[in-house]
Amino acid sequence: MAAAVDLELKKAFTELQAKVIDTQQKVKLADLQIEQLNRTKKHAHLTDTEIKNLPDETPMYEGVGRIRRKCIWREV
């Protein structure tokens, strides 16, 4: 009987270890995604700040499908 209990505990422990490893991997993946999104957010903010500092009549290009059309930055 003791051997059966030990076997059950060992099986339960192994399953718990697998769940822990799986959860740790998911947390690492989520952290990497958060870091990437924060970098993207910072890049977008810096780009927006730089564009807002341009004069009103600065020519820019806007993506329309596979082409770019020239426009004034206030129109973009």
Side-chain angles (χ1 to χ4, degrees):
M1 183 168 152
V5 172
D6 286 342
L7 191 58
E8 288 178 28
L9 286 175
K10 187 173 183 177
K11 182 180 177 185
F13 183 71
T14 304
E15 289 175 5
L16 186 59
Q17 278 183 320
K19 284 184 181 181
V20 166
I21 291 171
D22 186 48
T23 303
Q24 287 174 340
Q25 289 174 344
K26 287 179 181 178
V27 167
K28 284 182 184 178
L29 179 61
D31 286 342
L32 289 173
Q33 289 174 337
I34 289 170
E35 286 178 27
Q36 179 63 35
L37 289 171
N38 282 336
R39 280 193 295 269
T40 302
K41 181 180 172 184
K42 184 176 181 179
H43 183 266
H45 176 71
L46 290 172
T47 302
D48 188 49
T49 303
E50 289 297 318
I51 288 176
K52 285 183 179 179
N53 290 334
L54 295 173
D56 287 346
E57 298 302 315
T58 302
M60 297 187 78
Y61 295 89
E62 178 181 22
V64 181
R66 292 173 42 178
I67 64 168
R68 305 264 184 243
R69 79 175 181 101
K70 190 173 183 179
C71 59
I72 304 301
W73 87 262
R74 291 280 182 195
E75 296 174 7
V76 177

